[in-house]
């Protein structure tokens, strides 16, 4: 009988206490969370004028700007005619070749998507990397 008691006592002593190991794991977790560098999302810098102020671009007789209008359904219009997103670059290149000082003005509806503006801005940058693209929001 003494043998059985001895084995029972040995089995009880064989248990491993995991508390110190869990403490070390939590300390390491806190260390990695605190020292981790978080990736910042790259944002598109867009200077949108205050909607309360009526800001109209004054017409310059010497300089004809390239005006594109985007409605709430993300349809692009140039000179009262609807154009496809694939034709935007060609139309901007044609007008920019006639007047290299022109800037591209995108008159976008407040409910239009930013993706449409980005496509127009990218197309303008493909025509000339130094071309200025301005965004003017409007509501109907």
């Amino acid at each position: 009988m003494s043998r059985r008691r001895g084995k029972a006592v040995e089995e009880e002593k064989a248990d491993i206490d995991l508390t110190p190991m869990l403490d070390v794991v939590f300390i390491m977790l806190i260390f990695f969370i605190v020292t981790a560098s978080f990736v910042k999302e790259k944002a598109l810098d867009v200077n949108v004028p205050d909607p309360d102020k009526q800001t109209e671009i004054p017409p310059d007789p010497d300089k004809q700007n390239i005006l594109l209008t985007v409605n709430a359904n993300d349809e692009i219009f140039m000179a009262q005619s609807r154009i496809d997103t694939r034709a935007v670059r060609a139309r901007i290149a044609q007008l920019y070749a006639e007047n290299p000082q022109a800037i591209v003005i995108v008159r976008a509806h407040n409910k239009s998507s930013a993706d449409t503006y980005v496509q127009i801005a990218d197309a303008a940058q493909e025509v000339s990397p130094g071309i200025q693209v301005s965004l003017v929001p409007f509501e109907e």
Side-chain angles (χ1 to χ4, degrees), residues 37-110:
S37 62
F38 297 100
V39 176
K40 292 192 177 194
E41 294 289 327
K42 187 175 179 181
L44 184 68
D45 292 331
V46 178
N47 296 329
V48 180
D50 189 16
D52 297 335
K53 296 178 184 176
Q54 287 290 40
T55 55
E56 281 193 32
I57 299 167
D60 188 1
D62 298 334
K63 184 168 141 181
Q64 288 289 5
N65 295 322
I66 302 168
L67 178 66
L68 290 107
T69 304
V70 180
N71 65 8
N73 297 328
D74 293 328
E75 297 173 332
I76 303 170
F77 293 90
M78 183 182 277
Q80 280 69 27
S81 64
R82 185 176 184 276
I83 60 171
D84 191 29
T85 55
R86 296 172 294 209
V88 170
R89 183 184 177 282
R91 295 289 297 268
I92 291 175
Q94 176 187 5
L95 294 172
Y96 190 72
E98 294 172 8
N99 187 6
Q101 288 81 27
I103 63 171
V104 176
I105 300 172
V106 181
R107 191 170 170 257
H109 192 276
N110 286 341

